[in-house]
Amino acid sequence: MNAYLTYGIIFVILLALELCYFKVADHFNIIDKPNERSSHSTIVLRGGGIIFLIGIWIWSAFFGFQYPWFLVGLTLVAGISFVDDIHSLPDSVRLVAQFAAAAMAFYQLGILHWSMWWIILLALIVYVGATNVINFMDGINGITAGYSLAVLIPLALVNINGVFVEQSLIISTILASLVFCIFNFRPKGKAKCFAGDVGSIGIAFIILFLLGNVMIETTDITWLIFLLVYGVDGCLTIVHRIMLHENLGEAHRKHAYQIMANELKVGHVKVSLLYTVMQLVISLGFIYLCPDTMFAHWLYLVGVSVVLAIAYILFMKKYYRLHEEYLISLKQ
């Protein structure tokens, strides 16, 4: 079958299944109700990001079950996240599932060697931590789908001819992201659905697995620059909350993108586009402008990280007071 026809069929199937999910979510009242920490003000269907999991199953059905342990791990972590979207689960249950799923991904990648257990344990912690940082960044319309495309498109460009991983896997994930974009990449109050943890955790797991293949084949971890914008905002916000002695498990609105959308009243689509374009420019610069040497890769990574970190700190110094004023208003 012609490749374009195959991908066209996959896109139509994913679109139809997403619409079917909306019927199910509406029937079973799987919704996201706004609260004082939300960036939305209307009730929206939750869990639309299940399309990422469905997309991998559809890809497997069309192209063969080439990564069975990855598929099982993704199904486990996304399934637990979906249950958590409906009925809140203890943190311990979610973390056990995430570590078990990460171990399956490592087995699929061929790096689960217990003779170096301490390195594997550290890598698992980083994998699960990165998954949750990406999950924390899912807070406004369009940011998960848009940012995912900003990661997946450069990955597809690097992986032309399937050098590191099956190219069809990346393309199918891009198609799932586009389907989700149709219903979520909309102005505040206009989204048909939210990703839910099933979506943000699911796409994080997929992206980290794809990046893992590239890093293992090239023995170069600087490819993590494909997640740099999220990484800087997510990690520095965690550091900020630790400095404020906050419970990291509690919901909040302290990310830079949240302050833009909530306190500065910048439209959701504009903020999501900003993060998407920033990451895309950084990644394309890394691919096409940065010399292909380890020294140049590290210099580019460190240099861009410093610039983003300074920009984050300056932004917070100027505008975080608006968030403090918002918190004070909640207590009055």
Side-chain angles (χ1 to χ4, degrees), residues 33-191:
K33 295 181 179 180
N35 56 47
E36 68 274 7
R37 299 191 183 277
S38 301
S39 295
H40 63 288
S41 55
T42 57
I43 294 176
V44 183
L45 295 177
R46 177 185 289 184
I50 197 172
I51 198 65
F52 300 124
L53 170 62
I54 293 173
I56 301 302
W57 274 97
I58 296 297
W59 170 78
S60 298
F62 271 84
F63 293 95
F65 291 81
Q66 301 181 52
Y67 303 114
W69 284 104
F70 160 68
L71 181 61
V72 173
L74 173 63
T75 304
L76 170 63
V77 76
I80 289 293
S81 298
F82 185 62
V83 173
D84 187 53
D85 282 332
I86 301 173
H87 300 292
S88 184
L89 295 174
D91 291 344
S92 57
V93 173
R94 291 186 285 110
L95 282 174
V96 167
Q98 289 172 12
F99 273 100
M104 293 178 194
F106 278 27
Y107 185 78
Q108 187 70 72
L109 290 167
I111 58 173
L112 199 62
H113 304 301
W114 295 115
S115 58
M116 302 177 65
W117 64 268
W118 61 276
I119 295 178
I120 296 299
L121 179 60
L122 179 61
L124 284 170
I125 292 172
V126 171
Y127 195 102
V128 172
T131 299
N132 282 286
V133 167
I134 294 172
N135 179 37
F136 295 156
M137 293 297 292
D138 178 39
I140 60 172
N141 296 355
I143 197 165
T144 292
Y147 193 83
S148 296
L149 290 173
V151 178
L152 292 166
I153 291 172
L155 271 171
L157 293 173
V158 167
N159 191 61
I160 290 176
N161 300 322
V163 178
F164 304 112
V165 67
E166 286 295 323
Q167 186 77 331
S168 57
L169 173 58
I170 300 177
I171 294 174
S172 296
T173 307
I174 288 174
L175 294 177
S177 298
L178 289 173
V179 168
F180 185 65
C181 273
I182 293 173
F183 303 104
N184 180 259
F185 207 109
R186 299 181 178 186
K188 180 180 179 180
K190 302 294 184 181

Side-chain angles (χ1 to χ4, degrees), residues 239-250:
V239 171
H240 186 196
R241 296 190 69 204
I242 291 173
M243 292 170 62
L244 294 172
H245 306 290
E246 292 187 354
N247 181 352
L248 297 181
E250 291 183 354

